[in-house]
Amino acid sequence: MDVRSAVKDKANYAGIVQWFREQGNLDPEKLVLLADTIDEMSEEIYEHYRALCDICREQLQRIRRICLEEGYENAFPDENVRHQIAYVVEKACEKRAVLPEKYEDMVGNLYR
């Protein structure tokens, strides 16, 4: 699915949510795609918007747990990957998909 094109039409929102659900644990590139999709999606279709925010929150909870257990650099040795994840955390905080007070510290640790 070409999510970047599909998000332009509200009729595709249910399919977008389903596609992200089917992906399981998202790699950093798909996390960025998810964050950008949430950013572009109309909040007017709240059910689908909220579903994507929930997927994002679940993915970031998983990543946060891994980082706390293994350390940020051990979990994600590639600096570009850490920066991608930091971008997603920033977007998720901005869109209130996650609580900023709980996740803001991740951004600093990921940009080190």
Side-chain angles (χ1 to χ4, degrees):
M1 168 180 273
D2 182 4
V3 175
R4 293 192 189 278
S5 295
V7 75
K8 293 175 176 54
D9 184 357
K10 293 176 185 173
N12 296 325
Y13 284 9
I16 292 170
V17 171
Q18 185 62 34
W19 185 82
F20 276 110
R21 283 189 176 136
E22 291 171 353
Q23 299 307 302
N25 290 340
L26 301 179
D27 62 31
E29 290 82 19
K30 287 184 182 166
L31 278 171
V32 168
L33 179 61
L34 176 60
D36 289 344
T37 302
I38 291 169
D39 193 40
E40 292 178 35
M41 184 175 261
S42 171
E43 293 181 41
E44 295 171 2
I45 314 296
Y46 184 77
E47 175 185 346
H48 302 306
Y49 177 82
R50 188 73 244 160
L52 288 182
C53 287
D54 290 345
I55 292 168
C56 185
R57 187 185 69 252
E58 291 164 7
Q59 294 290 323
L60 290 178
Q61 285 173 340
R62 175 182 61 83
I63 290 171
R64 184 171 184 264
R65 185 185 72 251
I66 292 168
C67 288
L68 291 174
E69 290 172 1
E70 298 178 22
Y72 290 87
E73 289 188 22
N74 289 335
F76 302 100
D78 185 331
E79 183 179 31
N80 290 328
V81 169
R82 289 194 310 274
H83 289 185
Q84 287 176 314
I85 296 168
Y87 169 82
V88 173
V89 173
E90 289 173 326
K91 282 285 186 185
C93 288
E94 177 186 314
K95 291 295 187 175
R96 309 297 282 174
V98 297
L99 295 172
E101 56 271 12
K102 186 173 180 179
Y103 286 87
E104 286 174 332
D105 64 317
M106 276 184 73
V107 174
N109 289 318
L110 287 162
Y111 277 131
R112 285 188 191 163

